[in-house]
Amino acid sequence: GNSVTQMEGPVTLSEEAFLTINCTYTATGYPSLFWYVQYPGEGLQLLLKATKADDKGSNKGFEATYRKETTSFHLEKGSVQVSDSAVYFCALSDLSTNAGKSTFGDGTTLTVKP
Amino acid sequence: DAGVIQSPRHEVTEMGQEVTLRCKPISGHNSLFWYRQTMMRGLELLIYFNNNVPIDDSGMPEDRFSAKMPNASFSTLKIQPSEPRDSAVYFCASSDRENTEAFFGQGTRLTVV
């Protein structure tokens, strides 16, 4: 079956530091990969996505590249801000094997200190 | 579009009472998902529907939980009877066939005392 493993948290960084949150996946088909962000008291919202190998998703300074050879989709940002403090979820969805059902990682809590 | 709409946002109930959570998915989306989020267990998929039909309910914890989707624009998750360990945030999400991205509602924070 499908699974997603992401870096355990929590992660605490100073403002303007470089961020990497690791994510690896296992899938039987050809999944699309996603990063979602959850701010306190809110639901998850899509941060970025990539639908095929070597695609790079980007948004709000965050980037992740779909690496099929290493089955990875690591999230990076060059300079984090206090407002980036949130929980980040890596996820995959495979239309070839299910009706758009997403498989989520456990989430990584990021705290950015001024 | 207003996005996925859940109600109520907060619910406090006594143990043994029936609780009904409601969800209106985004118009045109054909898949709907119910999740539960707790500190201990993280985000768990309870059940999902495709074209109003339940596809996988293996995540439903017990017979006390039931979900329905009578039409494409409405779904309910019912807990009867409720127990304190059901306290959590319940999310509804929907997606369409082309994008597979899940759009989440704001969640219902359930507290069973």
Side-chain angles (χ1 to χ4, degrees):
Chain A
N2 297 337
S3 67
V4 174
T5 302
Q6 62 180 100
M7 188 170 85
E8 289 189 21
V11 175
T12 302
L13 296 173
S14 297
E15 206 165 22
E16 299 184 2
F18 183 84
L19 168 70
T20 299
I21 301 178
N22 290 338
C23 172
T24 57
Y25 68 90
T26 302
T28 53
Y30 302 93
S32 295
L33 302 176
F34 308 86
W35 276 100
Y36 289 83
V37 59
Q38 183 181 28
Y39 299 104
E42 299 184 10
L44 282 70
Q45 56 186 274
L46 182 69
L47 179 60
L48 53 84
K49 69 178 181 182
T51 58
K52 60 183 187 296
D54 299 326
D55 271 2
K56 176 186 282 188
S58 60
N59 185 26
K60 299 180 181 179
F62 291 89
E63 294 183 340
T65 301
Y66 190 143
R67 302 286 188 199
K68 189 175 180 181
E69 64 275 14
T70 54
T71 62
S72 65
F73 193 55
H74 303 322
L75 182 68
E76 296 182 338
K77 186 174 185 181
S79 177
V80 294
Q81 305 300 312
V82 172
S83 57
D84 294 327
S85 298
V87 183
Y88 292 82
F89 292 88
C90 185
L92 68 83
S93 182
D94 187 352
L95 275 178
S96 66
T97 58
N98 58 61
K101 171 187 168 184
S102 295
T103 300
F104 287 86
D106 290 337
T108 301
T109 300
L110 170 66
T111 302
V112 181
K113 296 188 174 181
Chain B
D1 200 313
V4 176
I5 299 173
Q6 292 186 245
S7 64
R9 289 293 311 275
H10 302 274
E11 176 81 37
V12 180
T13 191
E14 291 185 348
M15 182 174 63
Q17 296 298 305
E18 176 181 297
V19 175
T20 300
L21 311 181
R22 297 173 176 78
C23 175
K24 179 180 179 353
I26 291 174
S27 177
H29 283 190
N30 61 344
S31 292
L32 183 140
F33 310 85
W34 282 102
Y35 291 89
R36 178 172 69 177
Q37 187 177 40
T38 61
M39 290 292 291
M40 291 295 294
R41 295 187 175 185
L43 191 67
E44 304 173 274
L45 177 65
L46 300 178
I47 185 172
Y48 78 100
F49 297 83
N50 184 247
N51 293 324
N52 311 338
V53 176
I55 302 300
D56 183 355
D57 65 355
S58 60
M60 297 286 262
E62 300 171 32
D63 291 345
R64 298 184 296 106
F65 285 70
S66 62
K68 294 182 179 179
M69 192 165 187
N71 57 62
S73 59
F74 184 66
S75 177
T76 59
L77 177 68
K78 183 180 294 186
I79 308 172
Q80 166 62 23
S82 58
E83 297 182 3
R85 60 194 168 118
D86 302 331
S87 298
V89 181
Y90 291 81
F91 288 104
C92 176
S94 68
S95 68
D96 64 39
R97 179 125 186 114
E98 280 66 47
N99 291 318
T100 73
E101 166 195 348
F103 291 80
F104 281 75
Q106 296 275 62
T108 295
R109 181 173 294 278
L110 173 65
T111 303
V112 183
V113 298

